Amino acid sequence: MTDQDIDPATMRKQYRSEIVLEETLAEHPMDQFALWFQQAADSHLFEPNAMVVSTATPDGRPSSRTVLMKQFDGRGFVFFTNYASRKGRELAENPYAALLFPWHPISRQVIVTGTAARIGRDETAAYFRSRPHGSQLGAWASEQSSVIGSRAELDRRYAELDARYPEGEQVPVPPEWGGLRVVPEAVEFWQGHENRLHDRLRYVLDEGEWRVERLCP
Ligand SMILES: Cc1cc2nc3c(=O)[nH]c(=O)nc-3n(C[C@H](O)[C@H](O)[C@H](O)COP(=O)(O)O)c2cc1C
């Protein structure tokens, strides 16, 4: 390894923020998420809808990657991807997933655990049609997570599709592409504070009702 100029062990930030108390939380974690998501957006964070999705094979080998959360409501969080990708295949075999929203500039993170399921084809089609033409073609051009010989091969596939479906022409939804909804079983709201005395408030489903518990930081 080369010599490092920056030593991560010496990097330390003091977090200054309001204490999060149980009584101020919404009853439903998705309402609390809506509030924090709005505050993250108001703070002009770059892509506050970017989240890390972790999946695992049936024998417990984990993998993570960033995706963009595109919809959320009382049912959960939706992102769009290729169902034949690594994450898509892992979730088909083992639906347990974790999501992490890393809102570092405002000293917050939200961590969700739950199960993922495909959304309806009509819902996927509605979102696909709202995407820019180039992104629609890109979804066809890329067999996500498979090995490809070169960049040129990818560009050639895209050019072929662009010739077949020029701008203005309707692009069909790729059969292997669509939305996945992560339905939460637990949602942790983390707020950083000074002296590492952070707030960690976790909603857990308890016989169909959401209960909040506080975790040590
Ligand atoms: C900011 C950001 C946003 C991304 N958004 C998505 C997305 O919404 N859907 C997606 O399939 N991949 C997205 N990616 C790419 C994924 O991180 C990943 O490379 C890809 O989905 C293949 O992952 P897999 O091989 O583990 O399945 C995004 C990457 C970054 C850095």
Side-chain angles (χ1 to χ4, degrees):
M1 256 183 78
T2 55
D3 284 347
Q4 282 177 246
D5 291 332
I6 306 170
D7 177 4
T10 63
M11 296 171 114
R12 221 162 258 125
K13 284 257 188 281
Q14 276 295 354
Y15 300 144
R16 292 185 203 287
S17 46
E18 277 179 34
I19 302 289
V20 185
L21 294 174
E22 285 77 344
E23 51 268 33
T24 65
L25 294 177
E27 255 176 54
H28 197 287
M30 296 309 288
D31 291 330
Q32 186 61 33
F33 180 82
L35 187 72
W36 274 31
F37 186 62
Q38 184 63 53
Q39 290 170 351
D42 292 345
S43 307
H44 304 291
L45 295 196
F46 185 71
E47 294 190 320
N49 60 328
M51 59 184 187
V52 176
V53 180
S54 299
T55 57
T57 58
D59 59 344
R61 287 171 185 251
S63 61
S64 301
R65 75 290 291 156
T66 309
V67 302
L68 295 178
M69 185 271 291
K70 287 291 174 179
Q71 296 163 4
F72 72 93
D73 57 24
R75 295 171 295 173
F77 303 86
V78 175
F79 65 94
F80 291 86
T81 195
N82 190 309
Y83 292 140
S85 66
R86 178 178 182 173
K87 73 183 98 44
R89 282 182 283 115
E90 289 187 359
L91 287 171
E93 294 200 301
N94 169 14
Y96 293 105
L99 309 176
L100 187 149
F101 293 86
W103 295 332
H104 306 169
I106 55 169
S107 312
R108 284 182 173 177
Q109 66 179 344
V110 177
I111 301 172
V112 179
T113 50
T115 52
R118 292 183 185 194
I119 65 170
R121 287 313 280 168
D122 48 342
E123 287 177 273
T124 283
Y127 175 69
F128 186 78
R129 281 196 283 273
S130 77
R131 303 179 93 208
H133 184 72
S135 304
Q136 294 184 355
L137 296 181
W140 275 102
S142 164
E143 282 174 34
Q144 196 176 53
S145 315
S146 66
V147 174
I148 189 164
S150 65
R151 170 81 212 189
E153 204 173 313
L154 190 62
D155 289 337
R156 184 179 50 72
R157 283 193 204 171
Y158 184 92
E160 282 169 10
L161 286 156
D162 201 21
R164 189 151 153 216
Y165 302 107
E167 185 86 50
E169 195 130 320
Q170 184 157 327
V171 181
V173 185
E176 287 296 348
W177 189 92
L180 286 164
R181 175 176 288 111
V182 175
V183 178
E185 288 173 352
V187 186
E188 179 189 330
F189 292 85
W190 187 99
Q191 169 76 70
H193 294 296
E194 50 201 7
N195 304 325
R196 299 295 182 260
L197 297 180
H198 316 306
D199 288 316
R200 298 181 62 190
L201 291 150
R202 182 170 66 187
Y203 290 76
V204 285
L205 257 186
D206 194 356
E207 294 179 1
E209 298 289 319
W210 288 104
R211 178 167 58 76
V212 175
E213 53 196 15
R214 180 177 286 269
L215 304 177
C216 282

